[in-house]
Amino acid sequence: MLNIALPKGRLGDQVYDILASIGYDCPGYYEQNRKLVFESPEKGVRYLLVKPSDVAIYVEHHAADVGIVGKDILLETGADVYELLDLKIGKCRMAVAAPEDYVEDTDRTLRVATKYVNITKDHYGRKNRDIEIIKLNGSIELAPILGLTDVIVDIVETGNTIRENHLKITEEFRDISARFIANKTSFKFENEIISHMLKKLGEQIK
Ligand code: PRP
């Protein structure tokens, strides 16, 4: 059975729909319940619904053979997996945002709130900018509003969260989208089914 890690939520459902349409459907996937595992022994697949930020961990450690994960998570974790395909969905940008009236003082250490500690270090490291990172796990936009930090580094999709919290984007530095990934051992030993999925997913991409 091929274990497929899907991010819980809209992106995971979208990819499940594609896989279901090419023959990898699972009974009960859309039933309203708290189940986290769905399997179809006839189709040879088992879906694992995991927190989006954990998909790469499951795949790297071979708890899942393949998965769908945001490029932001791959960059942040540096997971040792094969990145097989850009699905061109779940698109967003990695951005820096600050209060609408913010003016940077380049003589001071920049205080940055983010979930993406490694991406942030890398970004400012390239500019030789001194920063202090405050790691948060969500609702990052609150940090500059409360004066906890000067700016945030976060993903922006529609821009609604930024606008509704009176922040402005000061920099966009990385396009993000969902990727189809595989465990390196699985790619070798389950190559037939993974290659078939890869081909079919590729055909669906516009
Ligand atoms: C993400 C991100 C932003 C928001 C961006 O948060 O951290 O807050 O989405 O989307 P938008 O540009 O379309 O408004 P998420 O919803 O994952 O919640 P979180 O605050 O718990 O991280």
Side-chain angles (χ1 to χ4, degrees):
M1 194 106 76
L2 193 80
N3 286 323
I4 306 169
L6 285 182
K8 263 194 276 183
R10 204 168 59 86
L11 179 63
D13 291 347
Q14 234 176 313
V15 177
Y16 170 78
D17 287 342
I18 299 176
L19 291 172
S21 76
I22 60 172
Y24 299 110
D25 52 308
C26 256
Y29 182 87
Y30 278 115
E31 277 168 21
Q32 298 287 331
N33 57 34
R34 302 279 299 163
K35 263 175 73 169
L36 300 173
V37 180
F38 295 91
E39 61 182 41
S40 168
E42 313 90 83
K43 308 287 166 72
V45 290
R46 179 188 289 126
Y47 291 97
L48 315 167
L49 301 188
V50 314
K51 204 170 146 70
S53 53
D54 290 339
V55 168
I57 300 174
Y58 283 85
V59 174
E60 181 174 20
H61 295 279
H62 211 176
D65 300 297
V66 294
I68 284 79
V69 63
K71 181 68 179 176
D72 53 333
I73 307 297
L74 289 179
L75 290 170
E76 180 62 22
T77 59
D80 187 21
V81 296
Y82 287 136
E83 185 182 319
L84 298 176
L85 184 67
D86 181 351
L87 295 168
K88 303 200 172 145
I89 53 176
K91 285 187 184 175
C92 53
R93 287 99 55 211
M94 191 60 68
V96 181
E100 281 164 355
D101 58 357
Y102 175 71
V103 183
E104 185 172 345
D105 176 355
T106 48
D107 292 335
R108 277 187 44 232
T109 298
L110 186 71
R111 297 172 305 150
V112 189
T114 191
K115 286 184 268 197
Y116 300 99
V117 171
N118 294 324
I119 291 174
T120 300
K121 276 187 191 156
D122 178 70
H123 177 63
Y124 286 105
R126 288 168 196 269
K127 301 170 181 255
N128 277 322
R129 180 73 168 101
D130 277 338
I131 57 165
E132 178 197 338
I133 296 179
I134 306 263
K135 181 177 188 312
L136 296 176
N137 298 301
S139 302
I140 315 295
E141 292 81 3
L142 269 176
I145 295 173
L146 299 174
L148 177 62
T149 63
D150 302 306
V151 301
I152 63 171
V153 167
D154 201 7
I155 49 168
V156 175
E157 190 183 353
T158 60
N160 289 339
T161 314
I162 293 289
R163 268 191 302 278
E164 288 176 21
N165 290 289
H166 306 291
L167 303 177
K168 63 179 177 189
I169 292 173
T170 56
E171 215 185 328
E172 288 183 342
F173 60 92
R174 186 71 167 81
D175 286 332
I176 303 292
S177 56
R179 308 297 158 102
F180 181 53
I181 60 170
N183 173 273
K184 291 187 167 179
T185 306
S186 304
F187 189 68
K188 197 166 164 191
F189 293 104
E190 308 282 352
N191 192 269
E192 198 176 322
I193 182 167
I194 294 175
S195 295
H196 181 248
M197 269 182 192
L198 180 59
K199 179 167 166 281
K200 291 292 180 180
L201 284 170
E203 287 168 5
Q204 302 290 322
I205 291 168
K206 282 128 209 151

